[in-house]
Amino acid sequence: MERDATMKYLTGNAIDVGTVEQLVLDDTLVEDAWDLTRHACPPLRDPMGPVLGADRPWEDGIRGCHVIYDERDGLHRMLYQSANVEAYQYFHFDPQRFDMARHGPSKFVCYAESEDGVHWRKPMFEGFPWRSHARSNVVMSGRTRAQSAEVFWNPDQSDEQRRYIMMYRDTFNYTGPDEQDGRCLAYSADGVHWSEDRDNPVTRGGSDGAAPVCWDPAGRQWFCFCRPKVMAFDRKATDRPSLGNTRRRMAVMTSPDLKSWSFPRAAIVPDEIDINTMCVEGASTVFKWGSHFIAVVPISDHTGSGFIETQLAFSSDGFHWQRLPDRPNYFDRGPDGSWDHHAAIPLCPPVEWGDKWLLYYMGSSRPSMRHWLSHSTSGLGVAVVPKGRLIGRFAGDRDGFLLTRELIIGGRHLDIHVERVIDRDGRPPCEIRVGLARRAHEANDHRDMGYYEGFAINECDPMGATSSALRVRWKGNEDLGALIGKPAYLRFHLRNAGLYSFRFSDR
């Protein structure tokens, strides 16, 4: 919710949410809550191990990926980040001897495809050589590298040759007096054949780390979540060593066209609750779901175990971010000795798979994730989570309540995304009910006016099923047509159940 909408609400106006799914993971639309706790829904990792590994001569590791389902062609297309250690050594530590033709790029983007999103193949394409290999699946090398590549749908599908967009880091005129390092753009019709934007690089001042790009259809602008440029720590002002990369934070910049970008402003920085001052690795992926932006934030214990955990962060506007107060781990690492024991990091927005999401993640069996040890990355795995199930508000055996802010009823029906708590002997049964509450609207009349007639909590048909779109009914009536456009508070009553989201609907 935008800041001006918040101010309008605080000065008396109800909030128009239309038919957009509204998440209840923060207080954006929550007025009050009673005996509820927030929990993230953990993804279920595929126990069979990685679905894709580094098995080509040019692949010394896999460090990132983006998966897009192309409905027209019936294919899942994966663009994944790989690296070659020898080329990396020359590029960074002996740049005068680096030869793109002889060594190849240090970082590059490869292609794989799948019908089901689980079983993948790597086509070898004519016209895509790599060193002495006439064929490869390396589809983007850049001028000297294609690093931290983000691949996403173009919201404007009118140009066949620009269905896919890639944003990546590259260096032009490497080691020359006019060297330029920054973010670049490329376009493709099929995810394989890419054409670089003639204005590359579109930004100057590159940095390592992921830089997720996300389109906001409500605000009609692009968001990029990168590392900040202006830092609190100053190496020259202190004798204290930094013990690592001081840019480990998340910043945000915006653009109307992917070319004109605002200056990156800090959005998530480590605080007193975090394990150290450099633990926030930025965001490995950011996506918009319903009312909120969702980010997966890797948390690195650089000075201790070396493990990398993950946390969910969320924002209603893309600029102001929160994490759960106890900072729980979101995505479990594998058991001791497994291929993903030291790190398991979701890398791209979830891919819809029926009523579920597929989450692709990078796994590592070793504690080091340094660029020159890219081979420490074991591969890419996949996990499954029910679609839209992110962070819910849960009640136990005791009755819990949630009151939304005053909203404009935006559709003829009310659907809710809920999860029942597994029954145990002696535990009260799961129950979910909703009432449409109202207040007085005359000047200086501050009374609670109860419920709209026929829509009280006690008139709501009790619900006890897990569903992403459970239709609410009051004595069998689901029609809110007479209330469309009127203000109401939604009061939820929960017992042994959790609420993830709600939405008004006309379907």
Side-chain angles (χ1 to χ4, degrees):
M1 186 169 65
E2 301 293 340
R3 289 272 163 147
D4 58 347
T6 302
M7 289 307 301
K8 289 179 180 178
Y9 176 74
L10 295 175
T11 55
N13 295 295
I15 301 168
D16 186 357
V17 296
T19 57
V20 175
E21 182 174 358
Q22 303 297 317
L23 311 187
V24 297
L25 38 62
D26 61 11
D27 291 339
T28 300
L29 287 181
V30 175
E31 185 89 353
D32 191 10
W34 184 273
D35 264 355
L36 299 178
T37 56
R38 288 182 289 176
H39 299 290
C41 180
L44 181 63
R45 294 162 40 257
D46 185 341
M48 299 304 291
V51 297
L52 197 81
D55 57 6
R56 295 295 186 264
W58 43 88
E59 297 175 352
D60 283 330
I62 298 177
R63 297 187 63 87
C65 81
H66 281 266
V67 176
I68 297 176
Y69 179 66
D70 193 326
E71 187 172 354
R72 187 185 71 181
D73 298 336
L75 276 177
H76 293 81
R77 302 187 190 277
M78 179 188 291
L79 284 301
Y80 63 95
Q81 180 84 65
S82 191
N84 182 267
V85 171
E86 181 187 13
Y88 185 92
Q89 298 280 357
Y90 277 103
F91 183 83
H92 283 278
F93 304 120
D94 196 357
Q96 298 303 322
R97 295 175 60 195
F98 173 73
D99 185 332
M100 182 70 167
R102 183 161 67 97
H103 299 120
S106 59
K107 300 287 180 72
F108 42 89
V109 179
C110 299
Y111 174 88
E113 61 188 27
S114 168
E115 279 78 20
D116 61 7
V118 178
H119 302 91
W120 293 87
R121 58 181 174 270
K122 299 177 180 180
M124 297 295 107
F125 299 110
E126 296 285 354
F128 291 81
W130 189 85
R131 291 189 183 176
S132 61
H133 299 271
R135 300 190 305 157
S136 80
N137 68 332
V138 178
V139 296
M140 173 57 75
S141 300
R143 303 298 178 89
T144 56
R145 58 179 166 177
Q147 180 179 345
S148 303
E150 297 289 321
V151 182
F152 41 91
W153 278 118
N154 188 344
D156 178 6
Q157 290 283 299
S158 61
D159 187 340
E160 172 68 18
Q161 300 305 311
R162 295 193 171 198
R163 297 177 67 225
Y164 297 87
I165 302 176
M166 182 186 298
M167 191 172 185
Y168 58 98
R169 182 189 182 189
D170 197 0
T171 304
F172 287 58
N173 307 314
Y174 188 52
T175 72
D178 55 346
E179 177 181 316
Q180 296 184 66
D181 182 5
R183 298 285 167 184
C184 299
L185 293 170
Y187 312 97
S188 175
D190 57 7
V192 177
H193 302 85
W194 292 88
S195 59
E196 298 180 32
D197 194 290
R198 62 184 180 183
D199 295 330
N200 284 344
V202 296
T203 69
R204 289 189 290 177
S207 63
D208 64 348
V213 177
C214 179
W215 169 250
D216 178 19
R220 299 203 59 77
Q221 64 178 339
W222 293 96
F223 284 75
C224 180
F225 300 90
C226 55
R227 287 183 172 169
K229 299 300 181 181
V230 182
M231 309 297 301
F233 186 84
D234 186 345
R235 284 187 173 89
K236 297 179 180 179
T238 180
D239 295 328
R240 176 190 174 194
S242 66
L243 300 178
N245 189 339
T246 59
R247 294 188 185 276
R248 288 194 168 100
R249 282 106 171 86
M250 187 183 88
V252 57
M253 58 183 184
T254 61
S255 171
D257 57 5
L258 290 173
K259 291 188 176 182
S260 302
W261 289 95
S262 62
F263 193 82
R265 302 297 191 188
I268 299 179
V269 300
D271 59 21
E272 300 92 336
I273 304 176
D274 287 308
I275 55 177
N276 61 56
T277 58
M278 297 175 299
C279 66
V280 175
E281 289 282 355
S284 60
T285 185
V286 180
F287 60 96
K288 187 81 182 286
W289 184 254
S291 56
H292 281 68
F293 293 84
I294 306 296
V296 177
V297 180
I299 302 294
S300 301
D301 187 4
H302 295 282
T303 58
S305 67
F307 292 134
I308 300 180
E309 310 288 4
T310 56
Q311 297 172 4
L312 284 182
F314 36 89
S315 170
S316 61
D317 61 8
F319 300 102
H320 304 89
W321 289 82
Q322 299 179 51
R323 291 175 281 165
L324 291 178
D326 56 344
R327 306 289 163 82
N329 183 45
Y330 172 60
F331 199 98
D332 288 338
R333 294 177 288 105
D336 246 346
S338 65
W339 71 277
D340 53 358
H341 174 56
H342 276 278
I345 306 172
L347 296 170
C348 62
V351 177
E352 293 192 21
W353 198 51
D355 61 351
K356 297 178 175 60
W357 276 343
L358 295 180
L359 297 181
Y360 294 89
Y361 70 97
M362 176 181 69
S364 174
S365 59
R366 303 182 185 184
S368 177
M369 296 294 287
R370 300 292 186 185
H371 295 284
W372 54 90
L373 291 176
S374 291
H375 54 277
S376 68
T377 303
S378 303
L380 300 175
V382 66
V384 178
V385 68
K387 183 167 65 175
R389 200 165 295 176
L390 294 161
I391 296 174
R393 301 213 184 208
F394 283 80
D397 293 346
R398 297 169 57 181
D399 291 353
F401 293 89
L402 182 143
L403 183 72
T404 70
R405 301 196 187 279
E406 190 179 33
L407 311 173
I408 300 297
I409 295 177
R412 299 184 66 89
H413 310 286
L414 176 63
D415 295 331
I416 58 177
H417 187 161
V418 291
E419 180 182 9
R420 66 180 298 162
V421 175
I422 297 176
D423 294 333
R424 293 201 309 259
D425 290 342
R427 166 169 280 181
C430 166
E431 186 170 304
I432 306 155
R433 294 184 296 171
V434 189
L436 305 183
R438 60 194 182 97
R439 66 172 177 91
H441 278 271
E442 297 298 324
N444 293 322
D445 189 344
H446 298 167
R447 291 177 296 164
D448 178 346
M449 302 301 290
Y451 294 99
Y452 281 102
E453 185 177 354
F455 297 96
I457 273 188
N458 291 336
E459 296 173 299
C460 182
D461 299 341
M463 297 165 283
T466 294
S467 173
S468 61
L470 193 61
R471 180 66 48 88
V472 181
R473 294 176 174 86
W474 292 265
K475 293 184 177 180
N477 175 35
E478 65 182 53
D479 189 359
L480 302 178
L483 299 181
I484 291 177
K486 293 186 177 182
Y489 296 89
L490 306 189
R491 182 177 285 120
F492 291 87
H493 170 221
L494 304 170
R495 185 193 305 131
N496 286 320
L499 173 69
Y500 288 95
S501 65
F502 65 90
R503 74 186 304 168
F504 295 110
S505 171
D506 286 320
R507 293 185 296 175

